[in-house]
Amino acid sequence: LRLQALVPSCFQVSAAKSSAQPLRGMAWRGLQRANHLLGRKLFARGYTPTIRFRAGSTAQRTPEELFGELQKVLISKGDSPQQLSNEWFALADKDRSKTIGSDEFRFLMDTVGLSLKEGESDVLFEMFDPKKKGEVSYSDFTQTLRGEMPSFAASLAFMDQYRGHYPSNMASLRKVLPRFDPEETEEWLESLEAVLSTHGPTRARFLLHELGDEAVRKGVPISASITTPMCNTIPTNVEPEYPGDLTMESRISNLVRWNAAVMVSDGNRRAPGVGGHIGTFASICDVFEVGFNHIFRGKGYGGGMGDQIYIQGHASPGAYARAYLEGRLDLNHIMNFRQEVGGQGLSSYPHPRLMPDFWENPTVSMGLGPLQSVCQARFFRYLHLRGLADTSASRVWCFIGDGEMDEPETIYAIARAGYERLNNLVMIVNCNYQRLDGPVRGNSKVIQEFEGIFRGAGFDCIKLIWGDAWNDLVDNDHDGKLIEVLERTPDGDCQRYAAKQDGALIRREIFEANGLADRVAHFSDDELLSAFMLPGGHDHKKIYAAMSQAAKNAETGGRPTVILAKTLKGFSLATFQGRNTVHQQKSLKVDEMLSFRDVLEIPLTDEQIKNPQGGEFFRKPGPDSPEVQYIMNNREKLGGCLPLRTPAKISGLIDLPDTELFNLFNGGSPKEMSTTMAFAALLRRLMKAGEFGRRCVPMVTDEARTFGMNSFFHEFKIHAPFGQHYTPVDHDILMKYAEAPDGQILQEGISEAGALCTWIATGTSYASQGCPMMPFFIYYSMFGFQRVGDIIWQAADARARGFLLGATAGRTTLNGEGLQHQDGHSLLIGVSNPAVIGWDPSFAYEVSYIIEHGIQEMWGKDKDLIYYISLYNENHPMPEVPADPVWKEHMLKGLYKFRPAKEGMSHTVRLIGSGSIMQQVLKAADMLEDFGVASEIWSATNYGELYREAVRAEREARLRPHEAKPSCHVSDCLSDWTGSTVIASDNVIAYPKLIEKYVGGELVVLGTDGFGRSDTRTALRRFFEVDSESVTVAALSALSRQQKISPDVVTGAMEKYGLNLERPDICMDHELST
């Protein structure tokens, strides 16, 4: 009865009348549940069939009856046909098709329990083999059983509508909205109906757009429509006069496009496999050139240090090719594209770490460039509002690939730019319709989709779709029929037209098939193709119209701007333009280069291309040539060449805080406090330290109260560019939530990715604006390296300087939050980033002097470093600084002796602790005295730097065999020890084990490997075996291994402290988890 209740009645087949209805998804779920309840396993190998049909019956059953009987057998067994797979593939052919023939099918049916008479097996087999192939695949078998899939959702019915105008089931709600004058409202609606019936939806759409735009202009507070007709935003009759020489700029664009493509191709010819990309820059080259000739402001422009340009990473050869013409790069650089080890090469993508005088902004990790550009624009405004730098004329231009728009960071960046109203930001989306493998949106219109996203977020949207010739067709579309066709034509077809390069095909499919042949009767096929193959993103006049309007928006508008530029991927590269393989194109064949040369009119002979000598491939007019003079004159007017990185030498600009400021914890504190609270106290001091204090930027992601920094709100204010226009709920208390345009604190909201990008903008301000700023970003440590490690890597690449504070660190110290929050591996991940110096302090004075050291290194010595500091939320008394005069020097190297061992004990061990687990080490030292064992206590503040120094020493010793092996701090401290050492940490064991080979004697390392979980700190530390009892037993065990004490002492201690070998783990143990 329970089985029948589980299986839908329409699939329960009676013996008297078998139903041939296929088994559907709900039936399978019922069967699987029934199988679970009955505890059966169907179709085990060697299974003996138990269901048989009447032996005395002679009438052969119909195919439908046989099909129904098979369903009945499957239902009676209480399992799905997926269980047949083992038997099926055991019988199937060994080739890839995995099919079976009629003989195997009969055997399989018998195995299932379906008894068939002579001939019935063939009849049933034919139901699964309708094409009479004589074989059935497993997929055919299961699909026939399953039948047609039910509809997934109503929205699928509208998938053939490419424009995104989907019906809504909420339309009827209009009737219940307030209608102040029903009669007038009805008249408006009747007017709309009249336009629709007389002129059609295109005219109605136009009128509604105009009405909505006019309402906005009149100050009516309504939202603008999120999509507009697929036309250029800027009409031809209002385009500004082009400020340059189009003929000259065409020659320059061709030279740049040629050198960029040849740079990649020739590099792969001489060094196969170095890679590179040709198609991306070919598509965006014209937009670049208009920008560099007339728009982008250089470092000397004034009102800041020029514009920030975020270049598509795959388009980097174009930036190099232009810099080559400008004389900023020479032939040696160009011929060593992606060959950097020798010191003369060019980096694959924009990498300031590799080219510190050229690139400013890393972009090629998809999505991070757009997010970083938004945070950069926002930080420029922050500097200006706080009176630290004039950034009034500095704009941010971000180039984005249309495929890159899929990245969640990109979508978040768009939303943030909108609600921050960043009018100094311009995004340019390179809509070449292609990503790496194929079309971005083959079935729809990506430009229309993006327009909706940007306009919905609050951007001014400029669509740059059609070039001059095709735009004439659109301008003369008197009834809107052409626009309708263009909006219906999916991007996948547009890509095909570009790849096929056939004017007759375009005429036939776009115009003739839609009754619009008369619209292009005056065009030959070649002329029609030429018009189609020059979209707006390759028409210099229309590009300038779009970019100059965006520049005006940045000056006087109140919102960010986006330009959606339609381009062709691989433009002018006829043999692979628009094809799916264009992104992977790394080299040009001789015939392709000859064709490319002819299209671009490059002055090279056939022989020079076929048998190049040295750098003959590359074309560079002399410095006195008209082309180069034109380039340099334009760049001089705009403030100099770009991209260019000009970092300020901070050590000569800013006075650093006095050493006395960092002495506040020298005397210790009997009052319990955490290292997090120690940091907050120190930061308040730093923010009051004169000019340096003004340049400190505390940053939080909505967690200031967790980190004891809520008292900062009223004192330093939260930065809010538009002020605080509400009365906060806590306005009547001292520590109220206070916002101001000149607020110093950056409260980033719940977005570690956004906060880290703001941190990068802050930490690179010494280069972008010559205005050094010191960021202190404090956050839940688990949400740093684990969640946004890619952005921290980007920060290192950008040469950002500042502090990352991983608070609530430790797998057992943050005790109540569970698996997703408890961090024990950030410091280990940090070692993989060469720019990151990771610290794990135990005491308040260590925190203070580590921060002093970081300030000295980053600003006093101008080193491009990131200091990552683990902070803990466990309160305990803070000791005073040790008496040893070298403790601070050693602490900053990563390891120092905190306390010597007591004399007079039978044995001595070394105990090394860090972070909050140092408290367990100190307790263990007291417990070991009960066993006659003295403990020498060491504090390890930085295993990563100990390891790095040791590796450098090993390399030097390896390459200087005739010289004495150089020393390193960890070996100097620990290698000569012959006794026992125990290391305990709230991190995974692999982190302290970095120094294992440099420790003498017997070593035991305790750490917190495994998933975190919620419990008391006591319980968690016992589970991970890093509590004081576990440290004590580990020390005794090490002594036992060295045969200094009896193993009975160890087992006695284990019994005393309740330690066991068995440690059930619900996260990994199947029996426990079930």
Side-chain angles (χ1 to χ4, degrees), residues 16 203 453 617 680 695 726 733 803 821 975 993 1035-1036 1071:
R203 176 61 177 167
I453 292 171
F617 273 150
R695 297 176 182 275
Y726 66 95
I733 65 174
F803 292 90
H821 286 66
S975 63
K993 264 204 166 187
L1036 295 174
E1071 283 75 16

Side-chain angles (χ1 to χ4, degrees), residues 252-265 281 317-318 320-322 324-325 334 596 600 602 604 615-621:
I252 294 170
S253 293
N254 288 348
L255 285 170
V256 174
R257 188 179 273 113
W258 169 267
N259 285 338
V262 171
M263 186 188 314
V264 178
S265 179
F281 179 70
Y320 297 142
R322 179 166 242 274
Y324 176 56
L325 295 185
I334 298 299
F596 192 32
L600 300 183
I602 302 299
L604 282 171
E616 279 189 341
F617 273 150
F618 301 99
R619 293 289 90 191
K620 180 181 180 181

Side-chain angles (χ1 to χ4, degrees), residues 534-594:
L534 191 73
H538 298 292
D539 186 318
H540 282 217
K541 292 176 65 177
K542 296 195 178 297
I543 293 169
Y544 178 75
M547 297 186 79
S548 62
Q549 181 61 50
K552 291 177 183 177
N553 294 350
E555 299 293 335
T556 59
R559 54 173 63 186
T561 301
V562 64
I563 298 173
L564 301 175
K566 185 181 186 303
T567 65
L568 297 178
K569 194 157 189 174
F571 180 75
S572 71
L573 298 162
T575 53
F576 51 85
Q577 179 176 263
R579 300 187 181 277
N580 282 339
T581 57
V582 63
H583 189 84
Q584 281 72 34
Q585 196 74 27
K586 313 295 182 188
S587 59
L588 299 169
K589 299 175 183 177
V590 170
D591 58 336
E592 291 172 332
M593 292 192 69
L594 292 172

Side-chain angles (χ1 to χ4, degrees), residues 302-306 380 383-384 387-394 769 771:
M305 289 182 62
F380 280 177
L383 290 175
H384 196 90
L388 292 164
D390 176 9
T391 61
S392 58
S394 288
Q769 289 293 343
C771 179

